[in-house]
Amino acid sequence: MNQDIKEAVLSFLPGLSDKTLSSLLEVFEELGVESSADLTFIQEKNLEKCLRPIQCRRLLNGIKNEGLPALKIEFVDVASPTPSSPCPSSSSSENTLPSLPLPGRQWYIDFSVRWNEMPAAVQRAVADQRRPSPGERRHMVKVVVDQMLAHDPNPTRAMCHSVAWRIVRDYPKSFADVGKTGDIVVDGCQSLLQQLKTRVEYKNRRNTLARRRGERRPRSGVAEGARVMAQGPVDQYGCVRWGPVELPAGETETTLNEMKRELLNIYSEEGIGGAKRAEPLMEKTYIIQRRYLNSVPAPGIAEIKKEWSFLFTPGLYSHFGLLTDVSILNKLREALNNKSSTVTGYCKDLQRHPGIKDVLSSYDPETSDKAACILLLLMAYFKEPKNAIMLETDLYAALAAA
């Protein structure tokens, strides 16, 4: 069986046992898989007899998202680090950045960290096969990102993932994500990936040209009756409309300021109850909201609440949707559907915790509010007071007072 296929599988399922891997390769052979390119034709039903459902989806998702070039990685033999040789030699590191890469081959596929540029403490940690301290790890991330930026002014998350995975593959005892039982979590590099990408964003915080991406297709629309607003390039920490410059069609600065005064009147008369009525006006005045929020010096919270009161109501969801092109409510529902069973299952093993036990004892999967239960479990686990994000009131007492 092609070695590329084995390497590709292990890149997405690094914790796979030898027995399961052998069974999986036998299945591939029965199906007629001859190269890593054939993996794109594999379906989940083909893998069910040797992989668990989550493993199947993780493998298929990895093949889909990484693409074929990433599956055809040519791995360089790296000797296990020893105390006398904590990192690749300077001569070998010079060969990790070819001046003439193969046509169509991305830089990150052959990227290797120049460990000789790392602080001595990091080199010793790698040599001793132990985890560096948090401070040493942060310093290592800075050096790695600086080396990556020499190839691309703003590496994508996929590029960062490729670099992080190679580091974890070469030095798992120093950098892999491991659980309490010592098992590798997911692919072992998610925390390092997040650190690398965050550092890339930080380095580009003042570099608008490096941050920008290609134009995407416009949104299908926002709220009913509101103007369809074209999505701009990703220009600031994932935002797609950080500082819009074009006024809504048919509007002027004068009409937008009139809408702002109308919003203030609605809030003074109806308070938070006027959020639904205010929603289309909030979407039309988005450009002057962003201009105000991005002003220097930045306005304080009390000042923002006075000028744009509906940003402190559900109207914030609409603003966030326009800013990032992400529906935060939909994302929350998806997260609850995908993660709720994991959270509740984990908390069932912690019932000695009094707060968790109380929440679970009153939770009925059929009738209880799943979102409220998950939030209460998380707050109990982190020992947060319940009233930190939830307000409880007696509905009947409120109606009587009214």
Side-chain angles (χ1 to χ4, degrees), residues 109-299:
I109 295 177
D110 297 307
F111 180 84
S112 291
V113 176
R114 299 191 295 279
W115 292 97
N116 59 310
E117 297 180 4
M118 292 295 169
V122 175
Q123 294 190 36
R124 286 194 297 269
V126 171
D128 298 339
Q129 300 189 37
R130 59 176 175 81
R131 304 187 76 84
S133 69
E136 294 166 353
R137 178 167 165 138
R138 286 193 295 271
H139 200 155
M140 183 271 289
V141 167
K142 293 178 182 179
V143 175
V144 172
V145 169
D146 287 342
Q147 294 177 10
M148 293 168 62
L149 294 181
H151 297 272
D152 190 309
N154 189 6
T156 64
R157 188 175 183 86
M159 296 175 183
C160 293
H161 180 271
S162 178
V163 173
W165 178 80
R166 290 170 72 89
I167 293 173
V168 169
R169 182 201 64 180
D170 292 342
Y171 306 105
K173 293 186 178 178
S174 297
F175 302 109
D177 299 335
V178 295
K180 293 182 178 180
T181 60
D183 296 331
I184 293 180
V185 178
V186 192
D187 58 0
C189 69
Q190 293 302 304
S191 63
L192 182 57
L193 164 62
Q194 188 60 44
Q195 284 182 293
L196 290 175
K197 187 56 181 170
T198 299
R199 180 65 182 175
V200 168
E201 294 283 7
Y202 177 79
K203 293 285 284 187
N204 283 313
R205 67 194 185 283
R206 302 185 191 281
N207 188 351
T208 305
L209 293 177
R211 283 198 309 262
R212 292 187 179 275
R213 301 283 189 241
E215 297 285 344
R216 300 179 185 174
R217 284 179 290 179
R219 302 177 73 205
S220 57
V222 283
E224 185 177 354
R227 181 177 70 93
V228 174
M229 184 178 292
Q231 176 178 331
V234 177
D235 55 9
Q236 183 84 1
Y237 286 92
C239 299
V240 296
R241 300 182 190 88
W242 177 264
V245 294
E246 295 183 5
L247 297 179
E251 304 296 345
T252 65
E253 294 285 350
T254 301
T255 59
L256 291 178
N257 285 320
E258 289 175 355
M259 292 179 191
K260 178 182 177 182
R261 285 192 289 272
E262 185 177 352
L263 285 166
L264 292 172
N265 291 334
I266 293 174
Y267 192 82
S268 64
E269 294 172 2
E270 305 178 36
I272 192 174
K276 190 68 176 177
R277 181 181 162 198
E279 186 174 353
L281 296 177
M282 287 292 290
E283 289 173 349
K284 285 191 175 182
T285 56
Y286 174 80
I287 183 173
I288 58 176
Q289 295 171 39
R290 293 308 310 170
R291 192 184 301 161
Y292 174 73
L293 295 172
N294 294 340
S295 60
V296 179

